[in-house]
Amino acid sequence: MSKSLPYSMKDVHYDNAKFRHRSLFKVITQTLLTSNMRRECLSCSTGKFLGLLMIFGLACLMLTHTNKAHSVSDGLAKGIGANEEHKEVTDVGIRFKKLFRRAPRLPPRLSPDEKIIHRNFTGKLNEPNVEEQWKARQQNVKDAFTHAWSGYKKFAMGYDELMPVSRLGVDGLGGLGATVVDALDTAMIMGLDEVVSEAGSWIESHLLDRIRQKGQVNLFETTIRVLGGLLSAYHLSGGDQGMTLAQKGPKPTIYLDIAKNLADRLLSAFTSSPTAIPFSDVVLRDSSAHSAPDGLSSTSEVSTLQLEFNYLSAISGDPKYSTEGMKVLAHLKTLPKTEGLVPIYISPHSGEFSGENIRLGSRGDSYYEYLIKVWLQLRDTQDGNFTYLHDMYEEAMRGVKHML
């Protein structure tokens, strides 16, 4: 069996067209329109003869249909019944239309990666070497991750991001080493102990000082990347009886202590706001917060903080993080919506939505995503009734289907 090449949907669409059934008429016309075939046919006497024969055949076919049509007209003049006449004309029209009918398409072909691998009654795979193929793909992903990490470590260690062309590090997310923290849990899942050790050591040695000294950061980006990365590392390194995937790096309590310090400062975005809607920006070194220049917050950003804050409360035993985060969703429940759909901006000063721009893209997307995720996270807890999240999600999805 030849090795399958990388497939894309473009390839699938091409194959779907390529394997479509074609009528005899379409085969003949497409063949004649092909320049090479036309040139070859016209260059020999046999080709010329066949061409004339085809033209003669088409002429006879057209004359036959014309004669039938005339006979119908004559019949009309002689008083043939109207129903029989209509039937004769209709039959002729149907037969004529069949010459130009579009051939039915075959069911879409799936790409090799989309094909379902059939299993026999023992549960074993029928296709050979499938497990080896997936292991090779898995290794390719790990190799790509290791390559990216080695470039980042060499040129931009401690910066938020690496610019690959200029090979310079930049702090586009507040200077908390976002790549280090964000990549740590992925390295743990992949079992890359060397990367885990390098990233963990940097976090233990530098991150707490960065948090104490840095200025403005975005509440949303810092929560999902840095706070979320620390909490994932805590869980995956065995904290709170989580999964012990990492054998190297700091103890789980190191990640938890840094996460609490960061979250305490991020809480100022909630406590400084006059409403349940937090400000968008936080100054870490003095634990202050303020709104964006236009005074608004992004709807998806304020509603995409709850998973991390809820989990931090659960493992730290301090409910303040969850309390502040859930105030946002409880407030959003009370606001008017369009079939469950919400505008992409909201004011922390008034607590009301701003504008009428509704979309499922940026600044709107994860509002809907987190309704169902937070409900799944909290539905078995004893802290309260969170079925309203599921209700809001269902209403929004009905709205999506209707409005789209």
Side-chain angles (χ1 to χ4, degrees):
M1 182 184 293
S2 61
K3 185 178 179 181
S4 61
L5 295 173
Y7 236 70
S8 69
M9 287 310 299
K10 188 175 182 180
D11 300 317
V12 174
H13 294 324
Y14 172 78
D15 286 344
N16 286 341
K18 183 171 65 176
F19 291 98
R20 181 191 307 158
H21 282 306
R22 294 180 296 168
S23 65
L24 179 62
F25 177 78
K26 195 162 190 176
V27 172
I28 295 173
T29 54
Q30 288 183 342
T31 301
L32 290 176
L33 290 174
T34 304
S35 58
N36 291 337
M37 181 65 72
R38 186 174 66 248
R39 192 182 305 114
E40 291 173 4
C41 288
L42 296 178
S43 64
C44 65
S45 58
T46 304
K48 294 176 181 178
F49 172 75
L50 291 175
L52 291 172
L53 186 62
M54 187 194 69
I55 294 171
F56 177 75
L58 289 173
C60 290
L61 189 62
M62 295 178 66
L63 287 173
T64 301
H65 285 291
T66 303
N67 289 337
K68 286 184 179 179
H70 281 306
S71 66
V72 172
S73 299
D74 294 337
L76 287 171
K78 293 176 182 179
I80 296 177
N83 291 337
E84 293 181 2
E85 299 157 8
H86 179 71
K87 183 176 182 299
E88 182 73 19
V89 174
T90 304
D91 290 344
V92 171
I94 291 174
R95 286 197 298 270
F96 188 75
K97 285 182 179 179
K98 284 183 178 179
L99 289 173
F100 302 98
R101 74 185 186 278
R102 293 187 63 182
R105 294 195 61 176
L106 290 173
R109 295 175 66 250
L110 299 177
S111 68
D113 287 339
E114 293 173 316
K115 289 181 180 177
I116 300 174
I117 301 172
H118 297 286
R119 299 173 182 268
N120 58 26
F121 67 94
T122 62
K124 295 180 180 179
L125 297 176
N126 291 332
E127 293 190 8
N129 302 322
V130 171
E131 187 174 351
E132 288 76 5
Q133 290 177 7
W134 278 108
K135 285 183 178 179
R137 292 169 178 170
Q138 202 174 47
Q139 187 59 48
N140 287 340
V141 174
K142 293 172 69 174
D143 292 343
F145 179 91
T146 303
H147 170 76
W149 173 261
S150 63
Y152 169 79
K153 182 180 69 171
K154 181 177 180 180
F155 298 108
M157 188 67 179
Y159 286 93
D160 285 336
E161 301 168 277
L162 166 66
M163 299 173 69
V165 176
S166 62
R167 299 181 179 181
L168 297 175
V170 293
D171 283 333
L173 296 170
L176 300 180
T179 292
V180 182
V181 189
D182 209 4
L184 177 56
D185 55 352
T186 304
M188 288 179 170
I189 293 170
M190 289 183 175
L192 301 174
D193 287 343
E194 183 178 353
V195 177
V196 172
S197 178
E198 293 168 347
S201 297
W202 186 92
I203 290 172
E204 184 176 17
S205 302
H206 302 285
L207 185 54
L208 196 55
D209 288 338
R210 293 278 183 98
I211 293 171
R212 291 168 176 163
Q213 297 169 8
K214 286 296 179 179
Q216 179 176 308
V217 297
N218 178 265
L219 172 66
F220 163 73
E221 296 288 352
T222 306
T223 297
I224 67 169
R225 302 186 190 284
V226 184
L227 181 60
L230 290 169
L231 295 176
S232 297
Y234 170 79
H235 179 78
L236 295 174
S237 60
D240 193 35
Q241 291 76 51
M243 305 170 66
T244 308
L245 297 184
Q247 305 298 326
K248 295 188 177 182
K251 295 180 180 180
T253 53
I254 298 295
Y255 298 124
L256 178 58
D257 291 341
I258 299 175
K260 288 168 60 179
N261 188 291
L262 175 61
D264 287 341
R265 299 168 190 269
L266 294 177
L267 278 180
S268 62
F270 299 85
T271 57
S272 300
S273 173
T275 67
I277 304 303
F279 288 133
S280 63
D281 299 313
V282 176
V283 179
L284 291 177
R285 61 173 170 262
D286 59 10
S287 297
S288 62
H290 55 84
S291 60
D294 59 3
L296 301 176
S297 293
S298 164
T299 302
S300 67
E301 292 186 4
V302 301
S303 56
T304 312
L305 312 166
Q306 288 70 28
L307 287 182
E308 290 82 0
F309 279 84
N310 287 341
Y311 182 63
L312 180 56
S313 283
I315 60 178
S316 68
D318 192 336
K320 65 182 180 182
Y321 309 107
S322 179
T323 299
E324 295 297 333
M326 292 306 297
K327 282 181 182 178
V328 180
L329 295 180
H331 177 75
L332 292 176
K333 177 184 67 171
T334 67
L335 298 181
K337 305 171 183 66
T338 304
E339 298 190 32
L341 308 180
V342 296
I344 61 173
Y345 288 106
I346 190 168
S347 170
H349 301 284
S350 67
E352 302 291 331
F353 289 120
S354 178
E356 299 178 351
N357 190 347
I358 295 175
R359 67 181 183 221
L360 301 182
S362 60
R363 302 195 182 281
D365 48 5
S366 52
Y367 162 76
Y368 309 100
E369 173 190 341
Y370 268 58
L371 288 176
I372 193 69
K373 285 184 175 181
V374 176
W375 175 73
L376 288 169
Q377 183 188 44
L378 298 179
R379 61 178 174 172
D380 295 327
T381 63
Q382 304 297 320
D383 298 334
N385 186 359
F386 298 102
T387 55
Y388 73 89
L389 296 171
H390 188 272
D391 295 340
M392 290 167 67
Y393 176 78
E394 284 201 324
E395 182 188 8
M397 293 305 101
R398 287 194 297 268
V400 168
K401 291 178 181 179
H402 180 230
M403 301 299 286
L404 285 181

